[in-house]
Amino acid sequence: EAGVAQSPRYKIIEKRQSVAFWCNPISGHATLYWYQQILGQGPKLLIQFQNNGVVDDSQLPKDRFSAERLKGVDSTLKIQPAKLEDSAVYLCASSTGLAVEQYFGPGTRLTVT
Amino acid sequence: KNEVEQSPQNLTAQEGEFITINCSYSVGISALHWLQQHPGGGIVSLFMLSSGKKKHGRLIATINIQEKHSSLHITASHPRDSAVYICAVMPGNQFYFGTGTSLTVIP
């Protein structure tokens, strides 16, 4: 079974630039999560989708972050414009439903200079 | 206030030692996860438990729901166990993560 795929693995941008991350969850997984993990901290949930609907985006900085999962499969997370404090690893995870085990992708390490 | 507290934050052990990592939480939960994160960012789920004890190879996880406490034990530790171990709890549909315990096992 293929795991959660993410791309790119690494990205370096200057502040005020835009960036987009892509996630392909495990086939058949209805629930998809985007997390932000700042160095030395645990992951923080940014947004949670159930199929193509948003379950929780309470911690998503909506002035600069956006995410979509249009067909209920792949998802993209965008930052526009980026700030220095956005430097982090962005993790995508998927699960078969709510409140069950999650499977994580390898993450995208973003550096904002 | 962090709903999940882990201890210790950092741990260095000699190969072969028995290791214990602790997790305390302050909310009612439906399940608790132990996750392993290697350098480079990838996270692997080790255990999901809601009561009692689970064992997988050299890893053992226990949980005491009444005391809101869980422990992860590693027997006969090995350098390849070096990683960050993260405790995550599920009060509902969302995960709350601890900040992780960084383990280094020295040969």
Side-chain angles (χ1 to χ4, degrees):
Chain A
E1 179 184 77
V4 177
Q6 288 187 249
S7 67
R9 291 295 312 278
Y10 304 92
K11 189 74 176 179
I12 301 173
I13 61 172
E14 294 181 352
K15 60 184 179 184
R16 291 187 289 274
Q17 286 187 323
S18 301
V19 65
F21 312 126
W22 174 81
C23 173
N24 181 236
I26 292 173
S27 177
H29 280 197
T31 311
L32 185 146
Y33 310 80
W34 282 103
Y35 294 95
Q36 180 193 58
Q37 186 177 24
I38 293 172
L39 186 65
Q41 299 181 18
K44 181 184 86 170
L45 179 69
L46 292 175
I47 190 167
Q48 177 182 348
F49 292 96
Q50 179 72 5
N51 296 309
N52 60 350
V54 175
V55 175
D56 186 344
D57 64 355
S58 57
Q59 298 192 83
L60 186 74
K62 297 181 185 65
D63 58 332
R64 298 184 301 107
F65 286 64
S66 64
E68 60 183 14
R69 194 185 184 199
L70 292 175
K71 296 182 180 178
V73 180
D74 293 7
S75 177
T76 56
L77 175 69
K78 297 179 182 177
I79 308 175
Q80 181 179 13
K83 293 184 175 181
L84 295 176
E85 58 260 37
D86 298 333
S87 295
V89 174
Y90 290 84
L91 294 160
C92 179
S94 70
S95 62
T96 55
L98 300 175
V100 296
E101 186 172 4
Q102 296 182 19
Y103 296 82
F104 288 82
T108 296
R109 184 176 298 276
L110 173 67
T111 302
V112 182
T113 62
Chain B
K1 178 182 177 295
N2 197 5
E3 291 83 358
V4 184
E5 299 284 348
Q6 286 185 237
S7 63
Q9 273 191 303
N10 297 285
L11 181 57
T12 301
Q14 292 288 335
E15 183 174 358
E17 283 187 9
F18 180 84
I19 289 163
T20 296
I21 300 170
N22 296 299
C23 175
S24 297
Y25 52 93
S26 58
V27 294
I29 66 170
S30 56
L32 180 145
H33 288 244
W34 281 103
L35 308 166
Q36 181 191 57
Q37 186 170 32
H38 280 283
I43 292 179
V44 174
S45 177
L46 298 175
F47 296 103
M48 175 178 171
L49 65 166
S50 54
S51 65
K53 174 179 170 178
K54 285 191 175 181
K55 184 177 189 292
H56 181 70
R58 295 180 296 105
L59 302 177
I60 304 166
T62 64
I63 189 169
N64 185 318
I65 295 292
Q66 287 74 30
E67 295 186 3
K68 293 186 165 63
H69 181 269
S70 175
S71 293
L72 176 68
H73 306 285
I74 305 176
T75 61
S77 59
H78 191 277
R80 64 175 174 266
D81 298 326
S82 298
V84 175
Y85 292 85
I86 302 171
C87 171
V89 300
M90 299 183 66
N93 296 328
Q94 188 180 130
F95 276 74
Y96 291 96
F97 293 84
T99 55
T101 295
S102 179
L103 171 65
T104 303
V105 181
I106 300 171

